[in-house]
Amino acid sequence: MLYDLLIEPFVAFDFMRRALVGATALALSGGPVGVFLMLRRMSLTGDAMAHAILPGAAVGFLLYGLSLPAMTIGGLAAGFAVALAAGLVARTTALKEDAALAAFYLISLALGVTLVSLRGSNVDLLHVLFGTVLALDDATLLLVAGIATVTLGALALLYRPLVLECVDPGFLRSVSRAGAAAHLAFLALVVINLVGGFHALGTLLAVGMMMLPAASARFWSGDITVMIGVSTLVGMLSGAAGLILSYHTGLPAGPSIILVAGGAYIASLLVGPVDGLLWRLVPGRHLEA
């Protein structure tokens, strides 16, 4: 019974195995990135950047159709352009970076949907917005795996300055000039991970594999290393469980994965040992004389 429910879909169907590999690669790279986004209070920045890649991907779609290289290059160019533009506006005007990102993200989302609609059908628009995790080919899997490899390698090199900037940015600025370079490199990692997630989950759901597992991990530990491990594990389990849910119910695979990750977040919010809601109901020990 358990074999038919949990294992048989991946044994019987190649597209399920491909989807599982893709979701696992996204969790391996998106989990750590999401933790640092959360700790740096940049969660909404990740969401804004996910929408920012849409116009570039849409231009690639207009020129070459559903071409992996064209949509990837277009998404990367648009993501980096929006990140640089928002930073420039924040540094040269009175507008804060979060407000600048919000403005650019709304413009990007509207522009991207309009561009796709000029040539594509509703099916193409749904592909761009919500992805096709059950239709990953070899090239897309190699891209996602390559992004995961680059991300993990880069985070290993940037780990100390990123942690210091989360804990005490003032101290990092006083002892090193690596903070600005680490910040820019981290933004680049966010963009490339969103582009990888875009091909599997679409522009609207790509950030979900970053932020929901990371938010869940926050309720299980206060240690950054442990949070990264928990976030990655939650992402991997959400990917597998979401695919199984989709297979047995007929629900769309991408939204099913994000719904499972959302369920993990709600469960962590309730029962997580670090400030979970139910733990607050347990009376604490009073100091004894």
Side-chain angles (χ1 to χ4, degrees):
M1 181 64 178
L2 285 178
Y3 176 87
D4 294 337
L5 183 66
L6 302 178
I7 300 176
E8 192 269 341
F10 300 110
V11 174
F13 299 101
D14 181 65
F15 69 87
M16 289 290 289
R17 293 194 294 272
R18 289 174 175 272
L20 180 62
V21 171
T24 301
L26 290 176
L28 286 171
S29 58
V33 171
V35 168
F36 283 112
L37 278 173
M38 177 185 64
L39 294 178
R40 292 156 65 94
R41 299 182 180 179
M42 295 173 61
S43 300
L44 292 179
T45 299
D47 185 52
M49 294 304 299
H51 295 81
I53 67 177
L54 183 55
V59 170
F61 171 77
L62 283 176
L63 295 177
Y64 300 101
L66 295 174
S67 166
L68 177 67
M71 296 179 72
T72 299
I73 293 172
L76 288 172
F80 286 126
V82 168
L84 292 174
L88 182 63
V89 169
R91 285 162 177 74
T92 57
T93 70
L95 198 65
K96 299 296 184 181
E97 189 170 16
D98 59 339
L101 270 173
F104 281 114
Y105 124 69
L106 291 170
I107 295 170
S108 298
L109 180 60
L111 179 60
V113 171
T114 302
L115 288 174
V116 175
S117 300
L118 288 177
R119 172 177 169 178
S121 64
N122 289 335
V123 174
D124 295 323
L125 184 59
L126 288 174
H127 169 87
V128 172
L129 294 179
F130 299 105
T132 52
V133 69
L134 293 180
L136 300 180
D137 56 16
D138 290 342
T140 305
L141 286 178
L142 288 174
L143 172 67
V144 175
I147 288 173
T149 303
V150 170
T151 299
L152 294 177
L155 287 178
L157 295 175
L158 299 172
Y159 185 79
R160 293 186 67 182
L162 287 177
V163 171
L164 279 175
E165 194 169 23
C166 292
V167 176
D168 192 346
F171 175 75
L172 178 62
R173 286 193 295 268
S174 67
V175 300
S176 173
R177 296 181 180 179
H183 179 70
L184 291 175
F186 177 70
L187 286 180
L189 292 180
V190 173
V191 172
I192 65 172
N193 275 274
L194 289 172
V195 169
F198 160 79
H199 288 295
L201 299 173
T203 186
L204 294 183
L205 299 177
V207 73
M209 281 294 277
M210 288 185 184
M211 298 317 308
L212 286 172
S216 301
R218 184 63 183 86
F219 292 101
W220 293 97
S221 177
D223 181 89
I224 294 179
T225 304
V226 176
M227 277 193 283
I228 289 174
V230 173
S231 176
T232 303
L233 180 62
V234 170
M236 294 170 65
L237 293 176
S238 297
L243 290 171
I244 292 171
L245 176 65
S246 171
Y247 176 82
H248 289 294
T249 64
L251 294 173
S256 294
I257 292 173
I258 302 305
L259 282 174
V260 172
Y265 167 72
I266 297 298
S268 301
L269 173 65
L270 292 175
V271 303
V274 181
D275 210 28
L277 295 180
L278 294 182
W279 284 96
R280 292 187 176 188
L281 301 178
V282 178
R285 293 184 178 181
H286 295 284
L287 294 176
E288 297 180 359

